[in-house]
Amino acid sequence: MKKEVRKAVIAGNWKMNKTPKEAVELINEIKPLVKDATCDVVVCVPFVCLDAAVKACEGTNIKVGAENMHFEKSGAFTGEISADMLKAVGTEYVVLGHSERRQYFGETDETVNKKVLAALSNGLKPILCVGETLKDRENTITNELVAMQTKIALLDVSEKDLENVIIAYEPVWAIGTGKTATSDQADEVNGVIRNVIKEVYGEVAAEKITIQYGGSMNASNCDELLSKVNVDGGLIGGASLKAADFATIVNAACK
Ligand code: 13P
């Protein structure tokens, strides 16, 4: 596997943090710190911050993503946001299937698949999240579970469309807990995901796809995690809310 053929992507997932005004302030702090980055830099922000974030990122190398979307085009889905709506405000990426959405909002592999297909057909780039709970890991089903989540989420996605998909391996037990997967654990599961892509789409697609790690990645542990051949970037929660820490991770991915 040749890591050089893939572009590293560092994406911040701000979760339920920041008002539009605070979002602009944080982006303005991040801008000068990442302006020379050779990797892709994305900030995924709450829906109400998207418009302000897109404007604040205009003319910079920072791209903007949403944190969720509905799979239907429009209709009676109170409180939901469609791909069209995200596109209309200039959103480029969308986090899909995050474990917090699976855990608290009833998302399933099937709804995640519908969302991935809807995002791609509307020109949005999904950041597809997969990962096991601590119980899954203790039951030694991590590899099988993550392989299954990946396969189902990508059902009916063409090889061409796959080029716009980023996968993020996020072990649930490592999210917001300060417990990071070891770089070997991250590399192993990212490798399992890459093998699934190889099995379904072939070697070339598997070499090209960006697979991130997420779960307590921070300014201190990013070098070690990003040094692994199968870790092509990060999906960063807590540390993405601090401009200096986020920039440290971005710059580590550009080495
Ligand atoms: P933390 O970096 O806060 O652990 O969150 C990771 C995450 O869930 C990113 O999507």
Side-chain angles (χ1 to χ4, degrees), residues 167-242:
I167 300 176
Y169 166 54
E170 296 209 315
V172 180
W173 49 271
I175 294 177
T177 58
K179 278 189 206 147
T180 319
T182 64
S183 56
D184 285 339
Q185 285 171 327
D187 195 44
E188 181 190 345
V189 183
N190 280 29
V192 167
I193 296 168
R194 203 175 301 287
N195 271 334
V196 168
I197 300 299
K198 185 173 164 189
E199 193 187 306
V200 180
Y201 295 93
E203 178 109 37
V204 175
E207 287 275 2
K208 274 201 286 193
I209 193 158
T210 294
I211 307 178
Q212 302 172 317
Y213 168 79
S216 300
M217 195 191 271
N218 58 39
S220 314
N221 61 25
C222 59
D223 274 318
E224 169 67 19
L225 286 160
L226 293 166
S227 71
K228 292 293 173 178
V229 69
N230 280 306
V231 179
D232 309 315
L235 185 56
I236 322 298
S240 73
L241 297 170
K242 296 182 201 120

Side-chain angles (χ1 to χ4, degrees), residues 21-229:
K21 182 170 170 284
E22 290 165 347
V24 172
E25 285 164 5
L26 179 55
I27 288 167
N28 285 340
E29 264 188 82
I30 295 171
K31 272 187 215 173
L33 305 178
V34 303
K35 68 176 178 6
D36 299 320
T38 50
C39 63
D40 283 353
V41 184
V42 184
V43 290
C44 299
V45 306
F47 290 135
V48 294
C49 297
L50 283 169
D51 191 41
V54 168
K55 287 182 180 127
C57 291
E58 250 163 35
T60 76
N61 58 337
I62 307 173
K63 315 265 180 23
V64 177
E67 300 175 13
N68 179 35
M69 55 165 250
H70 197 268
F71 48 82
E72 291 291 350
K73 215 175 159 43
S74 62
F77 301 100
T78 302
E80 293 291 333
I81 298 286
S82 71
D84 275 352
M85 293 171 186
L86 296 183
K87 282 292 283 182
V89 292
T91 312
E92 265 186 69
Y93 291 80
V94 59
V95 176
L96 295 176
H98 192 281
S99 63
E100 287 149 17
R101 304 258 0 135
R102 295 179 193 251
Q103 191 179 346
Y104 306 125
F105 303 100
E107 292 210 5
T108 63
D109 291 331
E110 288 71 26
T111 56
V112 174
N113 175 235
K114 286 185 183 180
K115 290 181 179 201
V116 168
L117 292 168
L120 289 167
S121 64
N122 284 283
L124 288 165
K125 296 177 183 158
I127 300 177
L128 162 65
C129 302
V130 295
E132 84 288 4
T133 63
L134 187 57
K135 193 154 173 264
D136 298 327
R137 182 161 280 270
E138 285 167 354
N139 287 336
T140 66
I141 58 169
T142 297
N143 294 356
E144 291 87 345
L145 185 94
V146 168
M148 186 184 77
Q149 289 175 336
T150 306
K151 272 190 191 172
I152 298 176
L154 294 176
L155 285 174
D156 296 326
V157 171
S158 69
E159 192 180 339
K160 182 91 198 81
D161 277 346
L162 188 74
E163 289 176 15
N164 289 318
V165 176
I166 293 170
I167 300 176
Y169 166 54
E170 296 209 315
V172 180
W173 49 271
I175 294 177
T177 58
K179 278 189 206 147
T180 319
T182 64
S183 56
D184 285 339
Q185 285 171 327
D187 195 44
E188 181 190 345
V189 183
N190 280 29
V192 167
I193 296 168
R194 203 175 301 287
N195 271 334
V196 168
I197 300 299
K198 185 173 164 189
E199 193 187 306
V200 180
Y201 295 93
E203 178 109 37
V204 175
E207 287 275 2
K208 274 201 286 193
I209 193 158
T210 294
I211 307 178
Q212 302 172 317
Y213 168 79
S216 300
M217 195 191 271
N218 58 39
S220 314
N221 61 25
C222 59
D223 274 318
E224 169 67 19
L225 286 160
L226 293 166
S227 71
K228 292 293 173 178
V229 69

